Amino acid sequence: MNFTSMNDTSCIIDNFVHLIKMNLKCGDSLLDVERELFKWLLKLGQYTLEKAMRSLLSDPEFVTQTHKKAKKITGPMRCKGSAQVHLTTVFGMIKVCTSHWVEKLTGRRGIKRRKRRQSGSGVYPILWMWGIYDRCTPAVQAEIARAMVICSSCEEASDLLAARGIQLHPKSICRLSYSLGRRSLNSRTRRLSVPELASKEKDTLMGKRVVVAIDGGRYRARIKTTVGRKTQKGRRGFSTPWKEPKGFIIYTLDSEGIPNRHGVVA
């Protein structure tokens, strides 16, 4: 199916309906048809989002206005031209060309840096204003956070996201989760440092009755042994003792001492 030739929504739907009917008539299972339709919809969303973003990024008026807004937040930066950026979206990988800024080091004392910093000092201003961090769109970041909360490991989160159409390595998911956590904590710290915003926070415990309890669970921990003979494959055994992880449960009470179901903090 050629998505570049689709200009009318009704034409797209008619093509989908025709292909689905043909596949079902040929004896294909509904499961296979649904999976194939899901892939088509991902490609359609990928093409649509990429075309819309490229159109805006090539609009001089929009780029100029966005750069002015970004400069008020980032401070002094210098432009290093345009760069091709691969972005991870919920529909798949797309490629766009956008401006790239780095820190303005003019007037700073010390020797000239010849190596890139550990995390880099550059920023893509327009993508940054759109909420794109670590080359992931906001929807992808939300899906990663949701998967990490539901799953017990990065590997399980990777499988869950793959079923959703988002292909990410477990190590990438771990890195993106830590990055999202740091930004969330920094954002909360900035909000609480402003009196006007701190007074509007609904999740603060000021003036509330709070209960802090310790709870534990059970799970088997896999601990590798470093003694004993190795097997034929060159491996050593391991033990799986029961462990009890400790965690805090924090919740609020109402005026009658009844736990507030909507007041659980952690």
Side-chain angles (χ1 to χ4, degrees), residues 53 85-89 92-96 127 132 135-136:
M53 294 180 70
V85 186
H86 290 82
L87 303 177
T88 303
T89 71
M93 192 77 68
I94 64 175
K95 183 173 67 174
V96 297
L127 303 183
I132 298 176
R135 305 191 181 193
C136 292

Side-chain angles (χ1 to χ4, degrees), residues 7 65 81 92 127 136 140 161 185-188 199 225 228 231 237:
N7 298 320
Q65 293 178 355
L127 303 183
C136 292
V140 174
L161 292 174
L185 290 175
N186 293 335
S187 177
R188 185 186 66 178
S199 60
T225 58
T231 61

